[in-house]
Amino acid sequence: MDSTGTESNTGTGAEQDKAAVGLTKATPAPTLAPTPAEAPDIQSHDTFVIKKTLSLTAGEYVVSVARPDGSEGEPVAYAREKRLSLRGQVTVYTDASRKSVLAAFKGRDHEVGYMYDVRDASGQSFGSFYEDAGASFLRRTWQVRQPGTMKLTGRERSRVVAFVRFVWEFVPYLEYVPFIWPYRFKYTESGKLLMTVTKKLGLHTRYVLEIFAPDIDRRLAIAHTLALDALEVD
């Protein structure tokens, strides 16, 4: 108390410091909300695993970076193909919520048959592909174009599998069933191997995409790999 008999509320300097410390502990500083993780840099990866699951109305694709042992690692892209809609249009997203577009392709009439333009989220084209109908008579063949960079020719490696596929398409009712046998496409430019797509044998539809050229746009390669499956039955 002071000389007037009233209780003092000033206290000593040490007491004031303790009170300040206690106040600081009782009121923790606000924390910042976590920022969303950045999309993986797919251009820095060379091998991807594409897995497809089926439902009554759609085919779901998940594209993952391949681990050294060949298993599925971090997912980097997602796509859905509606089984009851017209084929020839697939959108690829960066996440499972399908809010951010990585790439999309859609077929259009062209002198070679159907040309599939691959576009980014803004609608800008950065590549295309089409099936070479003449060459595909014996072995299924695709032409993949990346403007200003390269022109790839993709062809089925096995003549035997190509022949079985050819016969498969002429058996009644089987033409409406996806070709289940595993196969491999080799993509070359001027005889140099730059990319492969291998369909694996198993209970689930699974592809392995391997890229051997750093300049190939991974978005274009992934979109084309999806097309090999989505356009298999027209």
Side-chain angles (χ1 to χ4, degrees):
M1 291 188 184
D2 58 18
S3 57
T4 61
T6 307
E7 185 177 357
S8 173
N9 46 1
T10 57
T12 64
E15 291 172 339
Q16 291 176 347
D17 291 341
K18 290 181 180 179
V21 171
L23 181 61
T24 303
K25 291 181 178 179
T27 311
T31 57
L32 296 176
T35 56
E38 295 182 358
D41 179 17
I42 63 172
Q43 197 63 30
S44 64
H45 297 284
D46 299 325
T47 307
F48 301 87
V49 178
I50 295 93
K51 190 173 181 180
K52 179 183 181 181
T53 57
L54 291 174
S55 67
L56 292 177
T57 59
E60 301 277 354
Y61 299 92
V62 178
V63 182
S64 305
V65 174
R67 295 192 177 103
D69 63 357
S71 61
E72 298 146 40
E74 180 184 15
V76 294
Y78 300 80
R80 169 181 285 182
E81 173 221 358
K82 293 182 179 179
R83 301 177 67 189
L84 301 181
S85 66
L86 294 176
R87 290 179 180 268
Q89 182 174 1
V90 173
T91 302
V92 188
Y93 300 90
T94 60
D95 55 73
S97 66
R98 298 194 295 276
K99 293 181 179 179
S100 179
V101 174
L102 178 70
F105 66 84
K106 183 178 181 180
R108 59 179 171 86
D109 289 328
H110 193 265
E111 59 185 8
V112 298
Y114 269 106
M115 173 74 74
Y116 297 89
D117 299 302
V118 186
R119 303 180 184 276
D120 59 20
S122 65
Q124 183 70 30
S125 175
F126 59 87
S128 62
F129 54 83
Y130 65 90
E131 186 171 7
D132 189 331
S136 290
F137 183 75
L138 295 177
R139 279 193 292 173
R140 200 173 182 190
T141 303
W142 288 83
Q143 302 294 335
V144 181
R145 301 290 184 259
Q146 187 173 313
T149 306
M150 57 191 64
K151 299 178 180 179
L152 300 176
T153 298
R155 184 175 287 111
E156 274 184 290
R157 187 185 67 170
S158 172
R159 294 180 182 272
V160 174
V161 174
F163 176 75
V164 174
R165 179 197 293 276
F166 176 78
V167 174
W168 181 284
E169 293 177 351
F170 284 92
V171 175
Y173 304 109
L174 278 183
E175 69 268 27
Y176 300 107
V177 180
F179 188 67
I180 61 174
W181 197 258
Y183 55 78
R184 188 183 189 197
F185 278 83
K186 297 172 66 175
Y187 295 78
T188 61
E189 183 182 48
S190 301
K192 184 178 180 180
L193 180 63
L194 300 181
M195 187 174 87
T196 63
V197 175
T198 305
K199 182 178 183 180
K200 298 293 187 178
L201 180 64
L203 296 177
H204 300 284
T205 302
R206 187 170 175 267
Y207 298 85
V208 175
L209 165 64
E210 295 181 278
I211 302 171
F212 309 110
D215 292 337
I216 294 180
D217 194 318
R218 274 49 176 169
R219 299 172 300 172
L220 175 60
I222 289 171
H224 175 64
T225 304
L226 294 175
L228 289 178
D229 185 89
L231 304 176
E232 192 170 274
V233 180
D234 292 312

